[in-house]
Amino acid sequence: MATPQRTPFKQFWRRFKGNRPAIAGGLIVLSVFVIALFAPVLSPYDPATIDVEKILTGPTQAHPLGTDELGRDILSRMIWGSRISLMVGFVAVGISILIGILIGAVAGYHGGWIDDVLMQFVDIMLSIPTFFLILAVIALVEPSIWNIMIVIGVTSWMGVARLVRGQFLALNEMDYVTAARALGAKDGRMIFFHILPNAMSPVYVSAVLGVAGAILIESSLSFLGLGVQPPTPSWGSIITGGKDTIEIAWWISLFPGLAILFTVLGYNLLGEGLQDALNPRLKD
């Protein structure tokens, strides 16, 4: 009797679940997502409530992660700050993925002078340090969460464009693409229905890793005072509030720093696991 063949998803899941670091990363990502989703329920205090009687209180039963220089509960501010980090990560990556797919698909599909012009533009953008480019743009616009997300998104698409272009150049020579083109399929249909679905595997990996990068950039901007503005809590701004009192109130900077560390680590482990599961030949 013929043995049933595994579906592509079952093959992917078999490879992915055998990768323990990837599973650990996925659990970290899922935990942060659940915390952000249920922040109103999980937060023991209002993150903006000031209590002058509990300024710089260390970790206690009432305040497990201590309080800051204004008496605000660190745990509550970190829980609400996870929403900011994930929102910036998802929206910024969504913008960068959209721009990268459009430019990479057009360049890889048409080739020729269109490819040359678009790739030269990508090279110019890559030659500019991304973080300094973001700083320059932020200096010209009002620092807000929406501006941060847009700026990170429109300055982080170059890697995706190159990935998609490379996939299109390879898939353009496949038999099914040649057959669809011979049947008279238009360019739009060729790009979005025949080639792009088969070129998305590296984009998924890039998106997961991009969320980690966006969280780091947002935290860095907030630490410098150019990101999310008070009183909205952000992991980076919480660390900023504790840098002047780090010798006597170490908990203010330590716990949000660990949150950034483990969240970024979780996305990186998950992204590496997805890459190994989606492209097992890369391990050979």
Side-chain angles (χ1 to χ4, degrees):
M1 297 178 62
T3 57
Q5 295 183 349
R6 292 190 178 97
T7 63
F9 176 78
K10 288 183 178 180
Q11 293 176 357
F12 160 79
W13 177 246
R14 180 177 60 84
R15 291 189 292 263
F16 181 79
K17 71 179 182 180
N19 190 329
R20 292 185 178 180
I23 294 295
L27 291 175
I28 293 173
V29 169
L30 180 61
S31 299
V32 175
F33 181 80
V34 171
I35 290 172
L37 182 64
F38 294 100
V41 178
L42 298 176
S43 177
Y45 301 93
D46 186 331
T49 298
I50 297 175
D51 189 347
V52 295
E53 296 182 355
K54 295 186 178 180
I55 292 177
L56 299 181
T57 300
T60 61
Q61 185 175 0
H63 300 279
L65 302 186
T67 61
D68 63 8
E69 71 281 2
L70 297 178
R72 297 172 297 189
D73 182 63
I74 297 295
L75 176 60
S76 300
R77 291 181 63 76
M78 286 182 56
I79 290 174
W80 283 94
S82 65
R83 280 193 164 189
I84 299 298
S85 296
L86 293 187
M87 184 185 302
V88 171
F90 290 156
V91 175
V93 167
I95 294 172
S96 67
I97 292 295
L98 179 60
I99 297 174
I101 286 177
L102 291 176
I103 292 180
V106 171
Y109 180 77
H110 290 287
W113 68 269
I114 296 178
D115 182 28
D116 293 338
V117 171
L118 290 177
M119 287 302 102
Q120 286 179 7
F121 177 61
V122 170
D123 291 338
I124 292 173
M125 292 293 294
L126 286 172
S127 67
I128 305 173
T130 302
F131 189 72
F132 292 106
L133 178 60
I134 293 173
L135 286 178
V137 176
I138 289 296
L140 300 176
V141 298
E142 179 184 356
S144 69
I145 183 171
W146 292 106
N147 287 338
I148 294 298
M149 292 187 292
I150 294 173
V151 169
I152 295 176
V154 299
T155 56
S156 307
W157 52 267
M158 294 78 74
V160 177
R162 282 192 160 186
L163 284 174
V164 174
R165 171 186 176 266
Q167 290 291 102
F168 266 69
L169 289 175
L171 294 173
N172 251 340
E173 307 300 324
M174 301 296 289
D175 291 339
Y176 76 92
V177 175
T178 304
R181 189 178 288 115
L183 291 173
K186 296 183 179 180
D187 289 345
R189 184 172 182 82
M190 290 291 299
I191 291 174
F192 294 105
F193 291 94
H194 292 286
I195 304 180
L196 184 60
N198 296 295
M200 289 298 292
S201 293
V203 177
Y204 297 143
V205 177
S206 179
V208 173
L209 297 176
V211 173
I215 291 174
L216 274 178
I217 293 174
E218 183 277 325
S219 299
S220 300
L221 291 174
S222 296
F223 179 80
L224 296 173
L226 299 174
V228 179
Q229 299 299 297
T232 304
S234 167
W235 290 344
S237 61
I238 297 174
I239 295 176
T240 300
K243 65 182 178 62
D244 294 330
T245 57
I246 192 169
E247 294 183 357
I248 60 173
W250 49 266
W251 55 87
I252 300 178
S253 298
L254 175 63
F255 294 120
L258 291 176
I260 296 172
L261 169 65
F262 283 107
T263 301
V264 171
L265 177 63
Y267 276 100
N268 285 333
L269 292 175
L270 178 60
E272 293 293 334
L274 288 176
Q275 183 174 5
D276 292 341
L278 291 171
N279 303 290
R281 295 179 182 177
L282 295 178
K283 298 179 65 176
D284 298 336

